[in-house]
Amino acid sequence: AQSVTQLDSHVSVSEGTPVLLRCNYSSSYSPSLFWYVQHPNKGLQLLLKYTSAATLVKGINGFEAEFKKSETSFHLTKPSAHMSDAAEYFCVVSGNYKLSFGAGTTVTVRA
Amino acid sequence: SQTIHQWPATLVQPVGSPLSLECTVEGTSNPNLYWYRQAAGRGLQLLFYSVGIGQISSEVPQNLSASRPQDRQFILSSKKLLLSDSGFYLCAWSVLPTGGFNSPLHFGNGTRLTVT
């Protein structure tokens, strides 16, 4: 069995400040992990994926995530938020031919 | 490069009417195809997936059905829509079945369905 928990349903940041979106997972298998972003009325776009080659994963638009096996976490960060980062973000764990989506974190960016 | 097209973007249908949503993928062969529904406050729910032509797996029993008449075409249908069918429907594809290492899903732009 596997599951993913996004610890914050909503995050609000000021433009130019760091963004942290928290994700914890559980899996009986060696998981693959992904972060997706969804802008209003759009599909989900892949931000980055964990391949097990490196624990720090860099993605598009300046995002990165760090895999910590001991903490079963895969938190997403960005050093400086931009207005265009306002969207919903999903953490996803994949294992045993099943995908589990987190409930999502809505990011608001204040000018 | 691979692209995924989904249409229509929005649809308003009365209760009891039929439904047909289409999804096509270009630039790849034998993709794994998926239909998800995203209802407000309920996250993403996998409805159907297909690993090949004519091969459909249903994840939840409901008022909907799916078909894959061609390698890169995936259709979501209903004979009679219910109010509870309203939602945001997303088509996606992947190279490997979900769970395959390093094989993420690639999503279309979705269809907003409102059943009135």
Side-chain angles (χ1 to χ4, degrees), chain B residues 40-90:
Chain B
R42 296 187 63 183
L44 276 85
Q45 179 187 34
L46 178 63
L47 301 176
F48 301 95
Y49 68 92
S50 171
V51 299
I53 295 174
Q55 301 179 62
I56 309 295
S57 296
S58 174
E59 287 294 301
V60 290
Q62 56 203 320
N63 187 42
L64 302 169
S65 62
S67 62
R68 184 170 178 174
Q70 300 180 43
D71 180 44
R72 290 169 289 175
Q73 185 184 26
F74 205 24
I75 297 171
L76 183 68
S77 305
S78 174
K79 292 182 179 178
K80 290 185 177 181
L81 284 168
L82 306 172
L83 285 174
S84 58
D85 292 324
S86 293
F88 193 52
Y89 288 82
L90 291 159

Side-chain angles (χ1 to χ4, degrees), chain A residues 10-31:
Chain A
H10 186 240
V11 169
S12 181
V13 298
S14 297
E15 190 175 22
T17 64
V19 181
L20 169 64
L21 305 183
R22 298 180 295 166
C23 172
N24 286 352
Y25 72 92
S26 67
S27 178
S28 304
Y29 313 93
S30 183

Side-chain angles (χ1 to χ4, degrees), chain A residues 32 34 36 38 41-44 46 49-52 88 90 94-99 101 103, chain B residues 36 38 43-44 49 59 88 90 97-110 112:
Chain A
S32 296
F34 311 93
Y36 287 86
Q38 184 181 29
N41 292 310
K42 294 293 186 183
L44 280 72
L46 181 67
K49 57 188 177 184
Y50 167 66
T51 66
S52 82
E88 189 161 19
F90 293 93
S94 174
N96 197 31
Y97 298 97
K98 294 288 184 182
L99 276 183
F101 285 80
Chain B
Y36 280 85
Q38 189 177 26
L44 276 85
Y49 68 92
E59 287 294 301
F88 193 52
L90 291 159
T98 56
F101 184 73
N102 203 23
S103 181
L105 293 181
H106 304 278
F107 288 85
N109 279 331
R112 173 75 59 192

Side-chain angles (χ1 to χ4, degrees), chain A residues 83-100:
Chain A
M83 295 299 290
S84 61
D85 295 327
E88 189 161 19
Y89 293 78
F90 293 93
C91 182
V92 181
V93 61
S94 174
N96 197 31
Y97 298 97
K98 294 288 184 182
L99 276 183
S100 295

Side-chain angles (χ1 to χ4, degrees), chain A residues 9-21 35-40 45-48 59-64 76-90 104-111:
Chain A
S9 60
H10 186 240
V11 169
S12 181
V13 298
S14 297
E15 190 175 22
T17 64
V19 181
L20 169 64
L21 305 183
W35 275 100
Y36 287 86
V37 60
Q38 184 181 29
H39 290 92
Q45 180 185 16
L46 181 67
L47 277 177
L48 49 81
I60 62 171
N61 300 336
F63 285 94
E64 63 181 33
L76 180 72
T77 60
K78 183 173 180 176
S80 176
H82 191 271
M83 295 299 290
S84 61
D85 295 327
E88 189 161 19
Y89 293 78
F90 293 93
T105 299
T106 300
V107 173
T108 302
V109 182
R110 304 184 301 273

